[in-house]
Each structure stands twice: as structure tokens, then as C-alpha cells.
């Protein structure tokens, strides 16, 4: 009650960057200017200071973020398991997307890597889901994912219901090959 109420439900944007460590972001004090756009976004966003991944695998960790459950509770304990037995959102393990859609939110997700493809069930609750559907180990560049997100946002009616948007990037993940124009930022020094 002390915080007051909002005049309308706010849009919610969840951005996840696979394998990115916080100490390499300017908004968390990293000394190299490698993330100016994220730093600008963070200056106007809710930024969490203490977050721990429940598991060092893409699918289990992301489903934990989307359900609030540990991997053994939502059932996905490896990336491979999601390909053979997809996650389902059901009572006791509802995804945030399903809950928000039920509450009147438009829901959309744009993911860049095969471990989060539709065959894993991670699309549950999303009305729009754009995912890299190729073989494990493949991914889509951030610029391509961002282009899809911006196209979707342009088509949205601002006067309509709020949205929950999840954008997932995979670029920091192995094999660590930044696009040529960014490679000079990551040279080794003392």
C-alpha cells in the first residue's frame, strides 16, 4: 500500500543473455565500455543485484525464471530432456506467460537458441513465439533477434492491453565469436 498503485498494468520486458556474467556489464561496474546499450537500458529499468542460476543449463534455468520453480520441481533438469519430453504449464507449475496471458497481457517471446525451441515446451503461455528451431548448438545472432522484436513492437497497438515480452540472446555463449566490428573490444591486455 505504501508504494501506491499504477494507473494501468505496466508492460513487462524480460531480457535474458545466455552465459553472460554480471561482472562483465557496465551497469554492474565493469570497467570496459562493452555494454553501452544495456547500461542505458539498465539506468531506466529494474536491475537485480543478487540473482543465482539454479542450474548451468539454458532450458532448466529459463524455465525456473518463467515458473519460479527449481528444475526438479518443473521437471526439466537438462537441455536434452526438453527435446524428448516437453515442459507443460499446469497447476502447480504455471509459467509466467500463461498467468499473464490469463490476466489480459499480450505475450510474446523471441529466443535465439535451439535449447529453447518450441519442441521443449518453453513457448507455453506465449501467444507469439519466435525461436531458433535448428539443431542443438546453433543460434541466431542478437541483431537478427532484435530485428524480429522491433518488427513485433511496431505492430502493437499502444492503447491495447499491456504486454509481457521475453527476449533471449545467445551471443555470449561459446564459441565466443563476436561480430567483426565488436571483436577489437575484447582484446587481451594486462
Amino acid at each position: 500500500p505504501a508504494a501506491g498503485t499504477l494507473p494501468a498494468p505496466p508492460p513487462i520486458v524480460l531480457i535474458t543473455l545466455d552465459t553472460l556474467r554480471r561482472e562483465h556489464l557496465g551497469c554492474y561496474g565493469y570497467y570496459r565500455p562493452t555494454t553501452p546499450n544495456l547500461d542505458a537500458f539498465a539506468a531506466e529499468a529494474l536491475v537485480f543485484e543478487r540473482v543465482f542460476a539454479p542450474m548451468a543449463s539454458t532450458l532448466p534455468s529459463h524455465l525456473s525464471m518463467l515458473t519460479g520453480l527449481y528444475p526438479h520441481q518443473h521437471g526439466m533438469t537438462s537441455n536434452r530432456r526438453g527435446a524428448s519430453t516437453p515442459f507443460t504449464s499446469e497447476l502447480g507449475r504455471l509459467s509466467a506467460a500463461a498467468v499473464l496471458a490469463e490476466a489480459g497481457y499480450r505475450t510474446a517471446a523471441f529466443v535465439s537458441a535451439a535449447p529453447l525451441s518450441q519442441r521443449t515446451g518453453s513457448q507455453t503461455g506465449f501467444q507469439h513465439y519466435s525461436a531458433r528451431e535448428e539443431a542443438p548448438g546453433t543460434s541466431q545472432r542478437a541483431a537478427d533477434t532484435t530485428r524480429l522484436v522491433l518488427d513485433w513492437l511496431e505492430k502493437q497497438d499502444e492503447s491495447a492491453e499491456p504486454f509481457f515480452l521475453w527476449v533471449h540472446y545467445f551471443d555470449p555463449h561459446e564459441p565466443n565469436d563476436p561480430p567483426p566490428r565488436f571483436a577489437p573490444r575484447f582484446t587481451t591486455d594486462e
Side-chain angles (χ1 to χ4, degrees), residues 40-103:
F41 179 73
E44 297 183 32
L46 179 61
V47 177
F48 294 91
E49 292 294 323
R50 291 178 50 99
V51 178
F52 298 93
M55 193 165 201
S57 295
T58 300
L59 179 62
S61 283
H62 284 81
L63 285 177
S64 287
M65 282 184 260
L66 292 170
T67 64
L69 300 171
Y70 288 107
H72 73 277
Q73 294 171 312
H74 59 61
M76 289 299 145
T77 55
S78 72
N79 288 337
R80 285 196 178 115
R81 175 163 177 153
S84 61
T85 309
F87 167 78
T88 55
S89 181
E90 55 194 40
L91 193 58
R93 58 181 200 170
L94 293 171
S95 74
V99 171
L100 289 167
E102 182 70 27

Side-chain angles (χ1 to χ4, degrees), residues 24-154:
H24 286 264
L25 297 172
C27 60
Y28 288 109
Y30 190 51
Y31 67 96
R32 291 181 179 170
T34 56
T35 56
N37 295 328
L38 281 176
D39 300 341
F41 179 73
E44 297 183 32
L46 179 61
V47 177
F48 294 91
E49 292 294 323
R50 291 178 50 99
V51 178
F52 298 93
M55 193 165 201
S57 295
T58 300
L59 179 62
S61 283
H62 284 81
L63 285 177
S64 287
M65 282 184 260
L66 292 170
T67 64
L69 300 171
Y70 288 107
H72 73 277
Q73 294 171 312
H74 59 61
M76 289 299 145
T77 55
S78 72
N79 288 337
R80 285 196 178 115
R81 175 163 177 153
S84 61
T85 309
F87 167 78
T88 55
S89 181
E90 55 194 40
L91 193 58
R93 58 181 200 170
L94 293 171
S95 74
V99 171
L100 289 167
E102 182 70 27
Y105 272 73
R106 292 168 284 162
T107 57
F110 297 84
V111 301
S112 301
L116 297 171
S117 71
Q118 289 192 26
R119 70 179 180 271
T120 67
S122 55
Q123 84 286 357
T124 301
F126 287 100
Q127 296 150 338
H128 178 86
Y129 197 84
S130 174
R132 181 68 174 196
E133 295 294 332
E134 293 180 18
T138 64
S139 63
Q140 175 172 279
R141 285 284 191 189
D144 297 326
T145 301
T146 299
R147 197 170 304 109
L148 294 170
V149 170
L150 295 176
D151 288 346
W152 182 83
L153 284 169
E154 269 189 27

